[in-house]
Amino acid sequence: DTGVSQDPRHKITKRGQNVTFRCDPISEHNRLYWYRQTLGQGPEFLTYFQNEAQLEKSRLLSDRFSAERPKGSFSTLEIQRTEQGDSAMYLCASSLGDRTQETQYFGPGTRLLVL
Amino acid sequence: GNSVTQMEGPVTLSEEAFLTINCTYTATGYPSLFWYVQYPGEGLQLLLKATKADDKGSNKGFEATYRKETTSFHLEKGSVQVSDSAVYFCALGRMGAGNNRKLIWGLGTSLAVNP
């Protein structure tokens, strides 16, 4: 399967711990997005990479959140000193950024529960 | 700013009934419009899209027409099946030049189809 993959699928952690999520996009896709989705809500944009460059960050992304895409392929999202309010589904999407097609393809998500 | 307003759910229909899920948007410029579907326990999947006014997106019997004059992108299906039970999200996004690539999402509409 050559879709977007995310790891882990589920993460339970205690408040104050650090967590890191990984996203592997579709191999030829140069754009990568992170979103967060809470129950009963639509996804909220967190950040966006074009190749290895992080071009946009939401105000939702506090100083405790950091994302990287060091070689323009996979990406990691780290949350430091987790809080209960960080509990959500973290979604990764990728797209091939040309002028005519930019459908975002989503991974299955990582569900985070902070106790 | 950009926003998406989606009909509230849940929507409950009998098999073979006609489905409409309303979606209206506010946006500057000329966004692309998308419907994504999230089946129970699965990730977001693109259902259909339209990139310019009067375009009709269609897939799996679902249709939606990009109406600029009414700023709407309502989702319709003539005869729903039990397997269509899912949460449906309307979203708008940017295509083409520029760095602002994020999707702006509605809250989602839950559909339950009874046999």
Side-chain angles (χ1 to χ4, degrees), chain A residues 56 100-104, chain B residues 36 49 95 101-103:
Chain A
E56 186 173 355
T100 58
Q101 289 287 337
E102 193 160 348
T103 297
Q104 294 182 25
Chain B
Y36 278 82
K49 67 179 183 182
M95 283 175 53
R101 304 282 182 183
K102 60 182 176 281
L103 290 172

Side-chain angles (χ1 to χ4, degrees), chain A residues 1 3-4 6 9 26 37 43 91-94 103-109, chain B residues 33-49 59-60 62 75 83-91 103 105:
Chain A
D1 184 90
V4 179
Q6 292 186 246
R9 295 288 305 275
I26 293 171
Q37 185 179 18
L91 301 170
C92 176
S94 71
T103 297
Q104 294 182 25
Y105 295 87
F106 283 80
Chain B
L33 299 171
F34 303 84
W35 278 100
Y36 278 82
V37 59
Q38 191 168 33
Y39 297 102
E42 298 186 17
L44 286 160
Q45 300 176 27
L46 177 68
L47 182 58
L48 54 83
K49 67 179 183 182
N59 186 27
K60 299 182 181 179
F62 291 89
L75 182 68
S83 58
D84 294 326
S85 299
V87 181
Y88 292 81
F89 290 92
C90 184
L103 290 172
W105 299 80

Side-chain angles (χ1 to χ4, degrees), chain B:
Chain B
N2 300 318
S3 66
V4 174
T5 302
Q6 198 174 330
M7 157 180 177
E8 286 189 26
V11 174
T12 303
L13 295 174
S14 298
E15 206 164 23
E16 299 183 3
F18 185 86
L19 169 70
T20 299
I21 300 177
N22 291 337
C23 172
T24 57
Y25 68 91
T26 303
T28 55
Y30 302 94
S32 295
L33 299 171
F34 303 84
W35 278 100
Y36 278 82
V37 59
Q38 191 168 33
Y39 297 102
E42 298 186 17
L44 286 160
Q45 300 176 27
L46 177 68
L47 182 58
L48 54 83
K49 67 179 183 182
T51 59
K52 60 184 187 296
D54 300 325
D55 267 3
K56 178 187 281 188
S58 61
N59 186 27
K60 299 182 181 179
F62 291 89
E63 293 183 340
T65 301
Y66 188 156
R67 301 284 189 202
K68 191 164 177 63
E69 64 276 14
T70 54
T71 61
S72 66
F73 192 55
H74 305 321
L75 182 68
E76 296 182 335
K77 186 174 185 181
S79 176
V80 293
Q81 306 300 311
V82 172
S83 58
D84 294 326
S85 299
V87 181
Y88 292 81
F89 290 92
C90 184
L92 70 83
R94 297 280 177 187
M95 283 175 53
N99 292 331
N100 190 350
R101 304 282 182 183
K102 60 182 176 281
L103 290 172
I104 310 298
W105 299 80
L107 294 180
T109 302
S110 175
L111 170 66
V113 180
N114 297 320

